[in-house]
Amino acid sequence: MKQALALAMFLFDTYSEMADEDQAQALAALKTVDPVIHDALVQLLVTDALTHALDVPPWQDAVTASLAIDHGIHEEMATANREAS
């Protein structure tokens, strides 16, 4: 298993830089050749995708930022209203 993980780590950069369709095809081919390396590589790719904010669609960051700004504006308005009372 250590050898499979080492080979998966060696392949990681190449696969992570592929377009989605190309990556899917390459992973399918790898699975037929060596399922153990395939599984180790998929685990690395999934872990990487889940731990990097840059992998989040840009619109999701925009929505989050917009909600944070809206929340801040509402908080400021509520504070101003309390102080004016």
Side-chain angles (χ1 to χ4, degrees):
M1 185 63 179
K2 288 183 182 181
Q3 186 177 9
L5 182 57
L7 288 170
M9 291 176 75
F10 177 76
L11 296 171
F12 176 81
D13 286 337
T14 301
Y15 277 73
S16 66
E17 293 173 2
M18 290 181 181
D20 291 342
E21 289 180 18
D22 295 336
Q23 186 185 76
Q25 291 174 353
L27 285 170
L30 180 60
K31 187 172 185 173
T32 63
V33 175
D34 195 324
V36 176
I37 294 173
H38 167 271
D39 292 347
L41 180 56
V42 167
Q43 184 176 4
L44 291 173
L45 292 167
V46 168
T47 300
D48 182 64
L50 293 174
T51 57
H52 289 95
L54 293 177
D55 293 332
V56 174
W59 59 263
Q60 189 170 356
D61 283 342
V63 170
T64 303
S66 177
L67 290 173
I69 290 168
D70 287 347
H71 179 73
I73 290 170
H74 291 300
E75 287 295 315
E76 288 174 14
M77 290 174 58
T79 301
N81 286 338
R82 282 193 298 270
E83 291 172 356
S85 299

